[in-house]
Amino acid sequence: MVSDTHSGSVALEHPTTAHTDDHNLSDHDHGPPHLHHHFDDMEQQRESTSLGMWSFLVTEVMMFGGLFFAYSLYRWNFHEAYMYGSSRLNIVLGTGNTFVLLFSSLTMAMAVHSAQLRHRKALVGWLIATLILGGAFIGIKAKEWTDDYHEGLIPAVSWDPALWAHHGAPAGGAAHGDASHAATAQNGAAHVGEGVGENRPQASPSSQSGHPAGVDSSDARNSKFPIADSTFQRQVMMYFVLYFCMTGLHAIHMVIGLGIVGWFTYMGHRGAFTSGNDQPVEIVGLYWHFVDIVWVFLFPLLYLIHGFHPFGGGH
Amino acid sequence: MAEHTAQHSHAAIDHHDTHHDTHDDTHIIPVSLYLKIFAWLMFLLILTLGVAMFDLPGPLNIIVAMTVAIVKAVLIILYFMHVRFSSRLTWLFAGAGFAWLLIMFSLTFSDYMSRGWLPNPGNIVR
């Protein structure tokens, strides 16, 4: 009898909100309000929801996988250019980002845990912590990309190999602002979008405004790479195209994740996830951990090709 | 089966009010385990940097780096993503992603290699 009522009424009123008006338990013994009609019980719903998110994550693995393949292929072909490109990234910031993301995975796992235990305030706290850490990641990325912009490393946007000789990052360091502004403005539009051009003379007036210590180490490093060679420059461009595509796609995923976590912070505050319906938090957690895993692979592949020499050691 | 479901959900509804019900969740992982995994992840991060300080012979650099990354990923998948305590079906889905990735890499790379399009490592001019 219960099953008859059950199957008869399902087709007509599918949104679960319809149930909350009708508290006649003998009609709706189906389960708690957040158990959808098309599932027999919570366990089945839980499993299905989780598998749905895993299916999506599998498609994401393949999407990033394609980029990782392209990266691998060109790393094999242009190893030296990759080493140079990697040496121009800021390992300190990259490490900081890795730490921030791993920490955010912990706070996200704690948020899921709180939802399972129905601790509303703890849930909101952990979600906010996740938001802060994710925001920190995006902020650090913005700083890195701004530095790359000023150093002439963004293909089609601020690509200027002439800047490389003078602003090669000192061991682990970031760009130094003013001189690069002047140089970029001077070299102008002719270099935007064309990776190559003729071999440029190494010295130009604007570059003399120096940071002596930085220039020394950058020259020492730069002298090991044929950065004036146009083919080499093109290959370095390949590295940076992949760098920005991969970290850019990753950042887009982060921003979307932050949006969802922010929304869930609000909903969680209103108690949506602490009355037994902890699943949405769980599956957003799955998404978040996936984004973290992508970064765990991106970091060594993009930043550490050239090695890690914090004490200014050899190359 | 319908009666059983009805009974089951009656009892479930009663329990919902009094304490957290775990009968429809496979496992609630203790906080201490999360913290242990996080400590391991931090150690592995330091290891990643440490290994990068040395220039290992041949392809070992990339092999070691990727091994460390894979261990980190496996820890996150098994514990933070709860796969260790999930059904075989979940394991299958999670594993399938990497199976397809493996297929893409191995087939595509073998395509390149069999055409002789991959030069000796380190060449910058073909």
Side-chain angles (χ1 to χ4, degrees), chain A residues 84 88 148 151-154 158-169 195 202 218-219 222 226-229 232-237 240:
Chain A
Y84 178 72
R88 296 304 306 272
D148 291 335
E151 291 174 21
L153 293 171
I154 307 186
S158 77
W159 188 253
D160 191 354
L163 289 178
W164 301 354
H166 316 294
H167 293 285
Q202 294 282 46
S218 70
D219 280 349
N222 287 334
I227 62 174
D229 176 77
F232 184 78
Q233 289 173 357
R234 248 197 296 241
Q235 295 172 349
V236 173
M237 180 187 254
F240 278 102

mmCIF file of all heavy atoms in Angstrom, chain A residues 84 88 148 151-154 158-169 195 202 218-219 222 226-229 232-237 240:
data_model
loop_
_atom_site.group_PDB
_atom_site.id
_atom_site.type_symbol
_atom_site.label_atom_id
_atom_site.label_comp_id
_atom_site.label_asym_id
_atom_site.label_seq_id
_atom_site.Cartn_x
_atom_site.Cartn_y
_atom_site.Cartn_z
ATOM 1 N N TYR A 84 64.668 26.705 -19.119
ATOM 2 C CA TYR A 84 64.771 28.152 -18.985
ATOM 3 C C TYR A 84 63.447 28.752 -18.535
ATOM 4 O O TYR A 84 63.400 29.558 -17.606
ATOM 5 C CB TYR A 84 65.226 28.798 -20.299
ATOM 6 C CG TYR A 84 65.283 30.302 -20.173
ATOM 7 C CD1 TYR A 84 66.298 30.906 -19.422
ATOM 8 C CD2 TYR A 84 64.305 31.109 -20.731
ATOM 9 C CE1 TYR A 84 66.324 32.265 -19.253
ATOM 10 C CE2 TYR A 84 64.333 32.486 -20.566
ATOM 11 C CZ TYR A 84 65.348 33.060 -19.829
ATOM 12 O OH TYR A 84 65.376 34.406 -19.650
ATOM 13 N N ARG A 88 62.277 30.883 -14.853
ATOM 14 C CA ARG A 88 61.747 32.235 -14.762
ATOM 15 C C ARG A 88 60.521 32.307 -13.846
ATOM 16 O O ARG A 88 59.980 33.374 -13.623
ATOM 17 C CB ARG A 88 61.359 32.748 -16.156
ATOM 18 C CG ARG A 88 62.530 32.886 -17.117
ATOM 19 C CD ARG A 88 63.609 33.763 -16.550
ATOM 20 N NE ARG A 88 63.080 35.056 -16.148
ATOM 21 C CZ ARG A 88 62.982 36.118 -16.948
ATOM 22 N NH1 ARG A 88 63.405 36.052 -18.183
ATOM 23 N NH2 ARG A 88 62.484 37.257 -16.501
ATOM 24 N N ASP A 148 55.052 38.169 -14.322
ATOM 25 C CA ASP A 148 55.327 37.629 -15.656
ATOM 26 C C ASP A 148 55.019 38.658 -16.724
ATOM 27 O O ASP A 148 55.720 38.774 -17.728
ATOM 28 C CB ASP A 148 54.482 36.371 -15.905
ATOM 29 C CG ASP A 148 54.920 35.208 -15.049
ATOM 30 O OD1 ASP A 148 56.099 35.201 -14.637
ATOM 31 O OD2 ASP A 148 54.097 34.315 -14.798
ATOM 32 N N GLU A 151 57.792 41.039 -16.982
ATOM 33 C CA GLU A 151 59.059 40.469 -17.424
ATOM 34 C C GLU A 151 59.018 40.021 -18.873
ATOM 35 O O GLU A 151 59.952 39.398 -19.365
ATOM 36 C CB GLU A 151 59.433 39.286 -16.520
ATOM 37 C CG GLU A 151 59.791 39.725 -15.112
ATOM 38 C CD GLU A 151 60.012 38.531 -14.200
ATOM 39 O OE1 GLU A 151 60.271 37.429 -14.704
ATOM 40 O OE2 GLU A 151 59.938 38.711 -12.980
ATOM 41 N N GLY A 152 57.910 40.321 -19.540
ATOM 42 C CA GLY A 152 57.838 39.983 -20.957
ATOM 43 C C GLY A 152 57.695 38.494 -21.221
ATOM 44 O O GLY A 152 58.282 37.955 -22.160
ATOM 45 N N LEU A 153 56.879 37.849 -20.388
ATOM 46 C CA LEU A 153 56.779 36.398 -20.496
ATOM 47 C C LEU A 153 55.399 35.890 -20.886
ATOM 48 O O LEU A 153 55.195 34.703 -20.958
ATOM 49 C CB LEU A 153 57.169 35.757 -19.154
ATOM 50 C CG LEU A 153 58.636 35.912 -18.757
ATOM 51 C CD1 LEU A 153 58.843 35.446 -17.337
ATOM 52 C CD2 LEU A 153 59.525 35.124 -19.703
ATOM 53 N N ILE A 154 54.465 36.795 -21.129
ATOM 54 C CA ILE A 154 53.121 36.331 -21.463
ATOM 55 C C ILE A 154 52.936 36.365 -22.971
ATOM 56 O O ILE A 154 52.879 37.449 -23.563
ATOM 57 C CB ILE A 154 52.037 37.176 -20.776
ATOM 58 C CG1 ILE A 154 52.293 37.252 -19.270
ATOM 59 C CG2 ILE A 154 50.663 36.584 -21.047
ATOM 60 C CD1 ILE A 154 51.189 37.948 -18.502
ATOM 61 N N SER A 158 52.391 40.213 -23.465
ATOM 62 C CA SER A 158 53.527 41.075 -23.131
ATOM 63 C C SER A 158 54.820 40.333 -23.447
ATOM 64 O O SER A 158 55.773 40.354 -22.685
ATOM 65 C CB SER A 158 53.496 41.477 -21.660
ATOM 66 O OG SER A 158 53.933 40.395 -20.864
ATOM 67 N N TRP A 159 54.840 39.667 -24.560
ATOM 68 C CA TRP A 159 55.985 38.820 -24.906
ATOM 69 C C TRP A 159 57.138 39.684 -25.391
ATOM 70 O O TRP A 159 57.042 40.341 -26.407
ATOM 71 C CB TRP A 159 55.564 37.831 -25.988
ATOM 72 C CG TRP A 159 56.597 36.800 -26.291
ATOM 73 C CD1 TRP A 159 57.385 36.714 -27.393
ATOM 74 C CD2 TRP A 159 56.943 35.686 -25.471
ATOM 75 N NE1 TRP A 159 58.206 35.617 -27.318
ATOM 76 C CE2 TRP A 159 57.948 34.966 -26.139
ATOM 77 C CE3 TRP A 159 56.504 35.213 -24.228
ATOM 78 C CZ2 TRP A 159 58.528 33.799 -25.621
ATOM 79 C CZ3 TRP A 159 57.071 34.059 -23.717
ATOM 80 C CH2 TRP A 159 58.076 33.365 -24.402
ATOM 81 N N ASP A 160 58.216 39.679 -24.639
ATOM 82 C CA ASP A 160 59.333 40.517 -25.033
ATOM 83 C C ASP A 160 60.646 39.883 -24.605
ATOM 84 O O ASP A 160 61.148 40.146 -23.506
ATOM 85 C CB ASP A 160 59.195 41.899 -24.400
ATOM 86 C CG ASP A 160 60.176 42.880 -24.989
ATOM 87 O OD1 ASP A 160 61.031 42.461 -25.803
ATOM 88 O OD2 ASP A 160 60.107 44.070 -24.632
ATOM 89 N N PRO A 161 61.237 39.085 -25.462
ATOM 90 C CA PRO A 161 62.490 38.427 -25.105
ATOM 91 C C PRO A 161 63.613 39.394 -24.779
ATOM 92 O O PRO A 161 64.565 39.028 -24.088
ATOM 93 C CB PRO A 161 62.830 37.603 -26.359
ATOM 94 C CG PRO A 161 61.525 37.386 -27.022
ATOM 95 C CD PRO A 161 60.712 38.602 -26.747
ATOM 96 N N ALA A 162 63.498 40.626 -25.274
ATOM 97 C CA ALA A 162 64.564 41.582 -24.984
ATOM 98 C C ALA A 162 64.662 41.861 -23.490
ATOM 99 O O ALA A 162 65.706 42.255 -22.985
ATOM 100 C CB ALA A 162 64.311 42.884 -25.737
ATOM 101 N N LEU A 163 63.559 41.640 -22.789
ATOM 102 C CA LEU A 163 63.568 41.904 -21.356
ATOM 103 C C LEU A 163 64.269 40.808 -20.576
ATOM 104 O O LEU A 163 64.647 40.992 -19.435
ATOM 105 C CB LEU A 163 62.123 41.991 -20.833
ATOM 106 C CG LEU A 163 61.330 43.217 -21.237
ATOM 107 C CD1 LEU A 163 59.924 43.116 -20.676
ATOM 108 C CD2 LEU A 163 62.009 44.471 -20.749
ATOM 109 N N TRP A 164 64.413 39.649 -21.226
ATOM 110 C CA TRP A 164 64.866 38.499 -20.445
ATOM 111 C C TRP A 164 66.288 38.656 -19.929
ATOM 112 O O TRP A 164 66.601 38.249 -18.814
ATOM 113 C CB TRP A 164 64.785 37.218 -21.275
ATOM 114 C CG TRP A 164 63.428 36.909 -21.764
ATOM 115 C CD1 TRP A 164 62.280 37.558 -21.455
ATOM 116 C CD2 TRP A 164 63.079 35.863 -22.645
ATOM 117 N NE1 TRP A 164 61.228 36.968 -22.099
ATOM 118 C CE2 TRP A 164 61.689 35.914 -22.835
ATOM 119 C CE3 TRP A 164 63.814 34.853 -23.298
ATOM 120 C CZ2 TRP A 164 61.012 35.017 -23.662
ATOM 121 C CZ3 TRP A 164 63.141 33.963 -24.097
ATOM 122 C CH2 TRP A 164 61.756 34.044 -24.273
ATOM 123 N N ALA A 165 67.117 39.254 -20.747
ATOM 124 C CA ALA A 165 68.523 39.320 -20.357
ATOM 125 C C ALA A 165 68.732 40.163 -19.121
ATOM 126 O O ALA A 165 69.660 39.942 -18.361
ATOM 127 C CB ALA A 165 69.353 39.871 -21.504
ATOM 128 N N HIS A 166 67.820 41.100 -18.918
ATOM 129 C CA HIS A 166 68.066 42.055 -17.856
ATOM 130 C C HIS A 166 67.212 41.822 -16.627
ATOM 131 O O HIS A 166 67.491 42.319 -15.565
ATOM 132 C CB HIS A 166 67.815 43.478 -18.380
ATOM 133 C CG HIS A 166 68.419 43.661 -19.720
ATOM 134 N ND1 HIS A 166 69.769 43.640 -19.919
ATOM 135 C CD2 HIS A 166 67.860 43.800 -20.937
ATOM 136 C CE1 HIS A 166 70.000 43.787 -21.212
ATOM 137 N NE2 HIS A 166 68.875 43.879 -21.843
ATOM 138 N N HIS A 167 66.177 41.031 -16.816
ATOM 139 C CA HIS A 167 65.291 40.850 -15.684
ATOM 140 C C HIS A 167 65.073 39.382 -15.388
ATOM 141 O O HIS A 167 64.039 39.001 -14.901
ATOM 142 C CB HIS A 167 63.947 41.521 -15.940
ATOM 143 C CG HIS A 167 64.081 43.002 -16.002
ATOM 144 N ND1 HIS A 167 64.260 43.777 -14.884
ATOM 145 C CD2 HIS A 167 64.122 43.840 -17.045
ATOM 146 C CE1 HIS A 167 64.382 45.039 -15.267
ATOM 147 N NE2 HIS A 167 64.305 45.094 -16.559
ATOM 148 N N GLY A 168 66.087 38.583 -15.735
ATOM 149 C CA GLY A 168 65.989 37.195 -15.346
ATOM 150 C C GLY A 168 65.855 37.155 -13.850
ATOM 151 O O GLY A 168 66.547 37.851 -13.141
ATOM 152 N N ALA A 169 64.945 36.374 -13.359
ATOM 153 C CA ALA A 169 64.698 36.390 -11.917
ATOM 154 C C ALA A 169 65.930 35.907 -11.180
ATOM 155 O O ALA A 169 66.497 34.891 -11.539
ATOM 156 C CB ALA A 169 63.515 35.502 -11.594
ATOM 157 N N GLY A 195 56.607 36.070 -31.398
ATOM 158 C CA GLY A 195 57.503 35.544 -30.384
ATOM 159 C C GLY A 195 58.945 35.744 -30.711
ATOM 160 O O GLY A 195 59.795 35.609 -29.874
ATOM 161 N N GLN A 202 71.851 42.728 -26.884
ATOM 162 C CA GLN A 202 71.624 42.405 -25.485
ATOM 163 C C GLN A 202 71.459 43.652 -24.636
ATOM 164 O O GLN A 202 70.707 43.691 -23.697
ATOM 165 C CB GLN A 202 72.805 41.586 -24.927
ATOM 166 C CG GLN A 202 72.926 40.218 -25.573
ATOM 167 C CD GLN A 202 71.911 39.245 -25.017
ATOM 168 O OE1 GLN A 202 70.738 39.576 -24.874
ATOM 169 N NE2 GLN A 202 72.368 38.068 -24.676
ATOM 170 N N SER A 218 71.231 36.904 -12.723
ATOM 171 C CA SER A 218 70.420 36.580 -13.893
ATOM 172 C C SER A 218 71.303 36.429 -15.113
ATOM 173 O O SER A 218 71.077 35.574 -15.942
ATOM 174 C CB SER A 218 69.356 37.649 -14.134
ATOM 175 O OG SER A 218 69.971 38.853 -14.573
ATOM 176 N N ASP A 219 72.339 37.270 -15.202
ATOM 177 C CA ASP A 219 73.244 37.115 -16.333
ATOM 178 C C ASP A 219 73.948 35.764 -16.261
ATOM 179 O O ASP A 219 74.145 35.107 -17.267
ATOM 180 C CB ASP A 219 74.298 38.239 -16.334
ATOM 181 C CG ASP A 219 73.730 39.514 -16.920
ATOM 182 O OD1 ASP A 219 72.631 39.431 -17.495
ATOM 183 O OD2 ASP A 219 74.356 40.570 -16.801
ATOM 184 N N ASN A 222 71.366 33.407 -17.348
ATOM 185 C CA ASN A 222 70.984 33.615 -18.735
ATOM 186 C C ASN A 222 72.086 33.218 -19.694
ATOM 187 O O ASN A 222 71.828 32.834 -20.822
ATOM 188 C CB ASN A 222 70.581 35.077 -18.972
ATOM 189 C CG ASN A 222 69.226 35.379 -18.360
ATOM 190 O OD1 ASN A 222 68.416 34.484 -18.210
ATOM 191 N ND2 ASN A 222 68.984 36.617 -18.005
ATOM 192 N N PRO A 226 70.640 29.961 -24.617
ATOM 193 C CA PRO A 226 70.749 30.800 -25.812
ATOM 194 C C PRO A 226 69.533 31.706 -25.986
ATOM 195 O O PRO A 226 68.781 31.594 -26.949
ATOM 196 C CB PRO A 226 70.825 29.774 -26.941
ATOM 197 C CG PRO A 226 70.062 28.609 -26.423
ATOM 198 C CD PRO A 226 70.301 28.564 -24.947
ATOM 199 N N ILE A 227 69.318 32.609 -25.027
ATOM 200 C CA ILE A 227 68.065 33.347 -25.028
ATOM 201 C C ILE A 227 67.950 34.334 -26.177
ATOM 202 O O ILE A 227 66.887 34.884 -26.413
ATOM 203 C CB ILE A 227 67.823 34.081 -23.697
ATOM 204 C CG1 ILE A 227 68.917 35.126 -23.450
ATOM 205 C CG2 ILE A 227 67.743 33.102 -22.554
ATOM 206 C CD1 ILE A 227 68.636 35.962 -22.223
ATOM 207 N N ALA A 228 69.039 34.565 -26.884
ATOM 208 C CA ALA A 228 68.934 35.475 -28.013
ATOM 209 C C ALA A 228 68.586 34.733 -29.292
ATOM 210 O O ALA A 228 68.254 35.355 -30.298
ATOM 211 C CB ALA A 228 70.242 36.239 -28.187
ATOM 212 N N ASP A 229 68.630 33.442 -29.230
ATOM 213 C CA ASP A 229 68.342 32.660 -30.425
ATOM 214 C C ASP A 229 66.841 32.608 -30.663
ATOM 215 O O ASP A 229 66.061 32.269 -29.788
ATOM 216 C CB ASP A 229 68.892 31.237 -30.224
ATOM 217 C CG ASP A 229 68.552 30.346 -31.390
ATOM 218 O OD1 ASP A 229 69.219 30.477 -32.431
ATOM 219 O OD2 ASP A 229 67.595 29.555 -31.266
ATOM 220 N N PHE A 232 65.076 29.277 -30.075
ATOM 221 C CA PHE A 232 64.970 29.032 -28.646
ATOM 222 C C PHE A 232 63.838 29.844 -28.048
ATOM 223 O O PHE A 232 63.028 29.363 -27.258
ATOM 224 C CB PHE A 232 66.297 29.365 -27.959
ATOM 225 C CG PHE A 232 66.314 29.052 -26.489
ATOM 226 C CD1 PHE A 232 66.480 27.757 -26.045
ATOM 227 C CD2 PHE A 232 66.159 30.065 -25.547
ATOM 228 C CE1 PHE A 232 66.500 27.467 -24.687
ATOM 229 C CE2 PHE A 232 66.174 29.785 -24.195
ATOM 230 C CZ PHE A 232 66.346 28.480 -23.765
ATOM 231 N N GLN A 233 63.720 31.108 -28.477
ATOM 232 C CA GLN A 233 62.661 31.960 -27.954
ATOM 233 C C GLN A 233 61.291 31.390 -28.292
ATOM 234 O O GLN A 233 60.352 31.436 -27.491
ATOM 235 C CB GLN A 233 62.797 33.379 -28.519
ATOM 236 C CG GLN A 233 63.981 34.135 -27.955
ATOM 237 C CD GLN A 233 64.178 35.463 -28.663
ATOM 238 O OE1 GLN A 233 63.464 35.795 -29.614
ATOM 239 N NE2 GLN A 233 65.152 36.238 -28.214
ATOM 240 N N ARG A 234 61.169 30.860 -29.481
ATOM 241 C CA ARG A 234 59.888 30.274 -29.879
ATOM 242 C C ARG A 234 59.553 29.075 -29.007
ATOM 243 O O ARG A 234 58.409 28.843 -28.634
ATOM 244 C CB ARG A 234 59.937 29.847 -31.344
ATOM 245 C CG ARG A 234 59.053 30.677 -32.248
ATOM 246 C CD ARG A 234 58.843 29.959 -33.549
ATOM 247 N NE ARG A 234 60.112 29.826 -34.244
ATOM 248 C CZ ARG A 234 60.354 30.341 -35.432
ATOM 249 N NH1 ARG A 234 59.412 31.040 -36.047
ATOM 250 N NH2 ARG A 234 61.512 30.174 -36.019
ATOM 251 N N GLN A 235 60.580 28.319 -28.691
ATOM 252 C CA GLN A 235 60.353 27.143 -27.852
ATOM 253 C C GLN A 235 59.987 27.548 -26.429
ATOM 254 O O GLN A 235 59.133 26.920 -25.787
ATOM 255 C CB GLN A 235 61.591 26.253 -27.850
ATOM 256 C CG GLN A 235 61.856 25.674 -29.227
ATOM 257 C CD GLN A 235 63.180 24.954 -29.296
ATOM 258 O OE1 GLN A 235 63.997 25.053 -28.383
ATOM 259 N NE2 GLN A 235 63.400 24.231 -30.386
ATOM 260 N N VAL A 236 60.621 28.614 -25.960
ATOM 261 C CA VAL A 236 60.257 29.112 -24.629
ATOM 262 C C VAL A 236 58.813 29.603 -24.647
ATOM 263 O O VAL A 236 58.060 29.451 -23.679
ATOM 264 C CB VAL A 236 61.209 30.243 -24.185
ATOM 265 C CG1 VAL A 236 60.737 30.868 -22.886
ATOM 266 C CG2 VAL A 236 62.622 29.703 -24.012
ATOM 267 N N MET A 237 58.414 30.162 -25.785
ATOM 268 C CA MET A 237 57.038 30.615 -25.899
ATOM 269 C C MET A 237 56.086 29.432 -25.756
ATOM 270 O O MET A 237 55.038 29.525 -25.140
ATOM 271 C CB MET A 237 56.804 31.311 -27.238
ATOM 272 C CG MET A 237 55.376 31.795 -27.363
ATOM 273 S SD MET A 237 55.002 32.448 -28.987
ATOM 274 C CE MET A 237 54.960 34.173 -28.630
ATOM 275 N N PHE A 240 55.584 28.774 -22.217
ATOM 276 C CA PHE A 240 54.706 29.714 -21.527
ATOM 277 C C PHE A 240 53.261 29.637 -21.990
ATOM 278 O O PHE A 240 52.342 29.900 -21.228
ATOM 279 C CB PHE A 240 55.264 31.138 -21.610
ATOM 280 C CG PHE A 240 56.318 31.395 -20.573
ATOM 281 C CD1 PHE A 240 57.659 31.389 -20.897
ATOM 282 C CD2 PHE A 240 55.950 31.580 -19.252
ATOM 283 C CE1 PHE A 240 58.626 31.574 -19.924
ATOM 284 C CE2 PHE A 240 56.905 31.766 -18.263
ATOM 285 C CZ PHE A 240 58.254 31.763 -18.594
#
